[in-house]
Amino acid sequence: MGQTHKFVKLLRLSGFTPMAIAMFVLGTALSFTAPYVSLYGVNHAHMSPGKLGFFMTMMAISGVVISRYLGKRSDAAPNRRPYVLVANLAAVIGYGGLGLTSNYWLILVLGCVFLGIAAAILPQMFAFSKTALAFSDSEEEDLGQAGLRTLVSIAWVFGPSIGAILLSLLDFDGLFGIAAGCFALAGLLVFRAKTQPASASHPVHTPPAMPLDSGLPELTLPEHPAAADAPLRRNPPAVASRASTATIAQSASRPVATSTKTSAHGTMAGVKAGGQSLMKRFGVDTTILLAFTAFTFVGMSGAAVMIALPIYMVNVLHGNSHQVAMMFGWGALLEVPIMLGFGLSSKRLPKSKLIAAGALIHVIYFIGIMLADSAEHLIPLQAANAVVVSVFSCLGMQYFQELMPNEPGSATTLFFNTNRVGAIVAGVLTGWIAGMFSYWHVFIMCAVLSSIAFVMLVYLARQDARVRGKAGAAKLAR
């Protein structure tokens, strides 16, 4: 009953229900389009492998660049809603246009410009919901974010199968047209959603908008005053901190006691203390750099297995398309209860340790794939992959938001860009390794990348634990 009450209370929150419906509709639209873009390029636009590779790579790069730029801009704006609406409108134009043309250069423009802008939809939606919905406390906020992320996973349970049916009945113009309609509906729901005033939802400190000057996610951060000294220099209300970790601050959306702010920001400053000398010399926050690199390696592994596993399952292990659909549908279905569990318990969960454990499970998952000698053995393995996806997509997004508490838009975008950068590199490496050796060797690459990520994340978790211990000892001494 207690858990049910939490969900009922969340549904009664002003603006949450339309945002939840919009997130489900967005997940459905993405599940209609993402699996079939490459097929569209070959069968509809008659692209050669070289042209298709160039199109997919440029679309991914533009998504990284534009979404990062919009993330910085939204952090400097009083209201994120316009950025969500612009991204949805771009998706409507982009996917609607793809269904109406087979001209390669026009498709390239649609992909790099409009679908590049559309890549900001999910990060901007999560950042908007985090700052614009009047969550009563950090636990409810964590549950709300996990719930929204779970709705995307639910859409992916059945979305690709429905997309395949629509594709067979309506061809690509009908499939992408329906997807464009879904994006338009999601935009309308966000436009009409009632949220708390922008001035109340916006963080106390917002960095200036940054120019678009790089094709990769920006890893340099503006200088922030030392958190431990902030209460001595400022009189405004303190920024809220996550009671779940007592070490990492969340975005400033609710006032709390000054002592809470001092503890949370001071602890996060301590987590980053090990890399301060490098940060001063090169202007890079090494904690965020390590986290970004580790998550990118995990994203590379995930993207590579999405490319290689269906081919390996059918061509090497002699499976069929039905088993491929069952494999991915089973994994997506398992993600739903796992993500909801994380949302309900996130206040008590050690995020850094669980994320490190997720990387280790990823290694075990790839070893299991390499040892499998039939297609049937790959289906139960998706339970392990579902845990990994749930940990990194649910807790990982919160982890980045806590590393950058005053920049939720940039933090969420940086998190999503780890997957996009990973996908860009994975596409090249997967093709090269499969061509030079075999698809089985692709899984070796994935296991190695996940192992490196595991080492990095263990280091960050131990650094976090040391700071927690020092903060606890200091608190007891006072």
Side-chain angles (χ1 to χ4, degrees):
M1 288 295 293
Q3 307 296 355
T4 303
H5 173 72
K6 292 180 181 179
F7 284 109
V8 172
K9 183 181 177 183
L10 196 60
L11 291 174
R12 291 175 177 172
L13 184 67
S14 177
F16 181 82
T17 298
M19 289 290 290
I21 297 173
M23 193 66 80
F24 178 77
V25 172
L26 282 177
T28 302
L30 292 171
S31 71
F32 283 175
T33 55
Y36 303 109
V37 170
S38 59
L39 191 63
Y40 160 85
V42 173
N43 292 353
H44 183 83
H46 308 293
M47 298 181 190
S48 66
K51 284 187 174 180
L52 176 64
F54 182 74
F55 167 68
M56 297 295 288
T57 301
M58 291 304 297
M59 185 169 64
I61 292 174
S62 68
V64 171
V65 175
I66 297 174
S67 63
R68 178 60 174 162
Y69 174 70
L70 292 178
K72 297 295 291 185
R73 295 283 300 183
S74 69
D75 280 335
N79 189 358
R80 300 178 194 278
R81 195 194 306 258
Y83 293 88
V84 178
L85 298 178
V86 166
N88 275 279
L89 178 61
V92 172
I93 297 173
Y95 284 110
L98 287 183
L100 300 176
T101 183
S102 60
N103 181 276
Y104 178 75
W105 298 108
L106 182 56
I107 290 172
L108 195 62
V109 171
L110 289 170
C112 292
V113 178
F114 293 100
L115 297 186
I117 297 173
I121 289 179
L122 285 181
Q124 286 300 318
M125 278 288 287
F126 280 111
F128 177 58
S129 65
K130 179 181 178 67
T131 57
L133 297 179
F135 296 110
S136 60
D137 52 38
S138 60
E139 183 177 8
E140 185 177 66
E141 181 184 305
D142 288 345
L143 179 60
Q145 294 267 293
L148 294 176
R149 180 62 182 84
T150 302
L151 288 169
V152 177
S153 292
I154 292 174
W156 272 86
V157 172
F158 60 83
S161 298
I162 295 178
I165 296 172
L166 293 174
L167 182 60
S168 64
L169 295 175
L170 304 174
D171 206 3
F172 286 102
D173 52 350
L175 176 64
F176 288 162
I178 291 174
C182 290
F183 285 113
L185 175 59
L188 179 63
L189 288 167
V190 172
F191 177 75
R192 295 181 61 85
K194 294 181 180 180
T195 58
Q196 63 180 347
S199 58
S201 65
H202 194 59
V204 173
H205 171 78
T206 53
M210 300 300 292
L212 179 59
D213 58 2
S214 172
L216 293 176
E218 184 182 343
L219 294 179
T220 56
L221 298 175
E223 290 292 332
H224 294 288
D229 296 336
L232 300 178
R233 293 196 302 262
R234 295 188 181 94
N235 293 322
V239 176
S241 66
R242 284 189 189 276
S244 59
T245 61
T247 60
I248 305 175
Q250 86 178 134
S251 65
S253 58
R254 295 174 296 275
V256 294
T258 303
S259 59
T260 306
K261 176 184 178 182
T262 306
S263 173
H265 283 268
T267 306
M268 176 47 62
V271 172
K272 301 177 181 180
Q276 289 300 312
S277 59
L278 283 175
M279 184 175 66
K280 291 179 180 178
R281 290 176 59 188
F282 301 107
V284 176
D285 187 318
T286 53
T287 298
I288 295 177
L289 178 59
L290 277 175
F292 178 84
T293 304
F295 274 68
T296 299
F297 283 172
V298 172
M300 287 173 61
S301 302
V305 79
M306 284 290 291
I307 296 170
L309 191 56
I311 300 172
Y312 182 76
M313 189 176 191
V314 173
N315 294 348
V316 178
L317 299 182
H318 309 294
N320 54 55
S321 58
H322 174 71
Q323 289 173 318
V324 172
M326 183 185 298
M327 177 176 65
F328 287 118
W330 165 246
L333 182 63
L334 287 176
E335 292 170 19
V336 174
I338 298 173
M339 286 186 181
L340 288 177
F342 283 143
L344 289 168
S345 308
S346 62
K347 185 176 181 180
R348 301 179 295 275
L349 293 176
K351 293 184 179 65
S352 57
K353 291 181 179 179
L354 281 173
I355 291 170
L360 179 60
I361 295 173
H362 219 204
V363 176
I364 297 171
Y365 169 66
F366 291 119
I367 293 174
I369 292 176
M370 289 186 285
L371 294 176
D373 56 8
S374 70
E376 289 83 1
H377 292 166
L378 296 179
I379 296 175
L381 278 175
Q382 298 312 304
N385 192 50
V387 173
V388 175
V389 172
S390 300
V391 168
F392 277 86
S393 61
C394 190
L395 299 183
M397 184 170 63
Q398 297 173 13
Y399 182 68
F400 272 85
Q401 289 172 344
E402 292 168 347
L403 285 175
M404 305 167 66
N406 293 324
E407 302 169 79
S410 296
T412 308
T413 302
L414 190 65
F415 163 74
F416 276 97
N417 278 349
T418 61
N419 286 321
R420 295 193 184 104
V421 173
I424 293 169
V425 181
V428 176
L429 285 179
T430 300
W432 179 77
I433 292 175
M436 290 290 294
F437 304 100
S438 70
Y439 282 103
W440 189 84
H441 288 82
V442 172
F443 305 127
I444 295 179
M445 176 196 74
C446 294
V448 171
L449 289 172
S450 295
S451 298
I452 297 172
F454 170 66
V455 173
M456 292 180 176
L457 292 167
V458 166
Y459 170 78
L460 290 175
R462 288 182 175 178
Q463 193 177 41
D464 183 24
R466 285 196 299 269
V467 173
R468 287 171 183 266
K470 291 179 180 179
K475 186 175 181 180
L476 289 173
R478 290 197 300 268

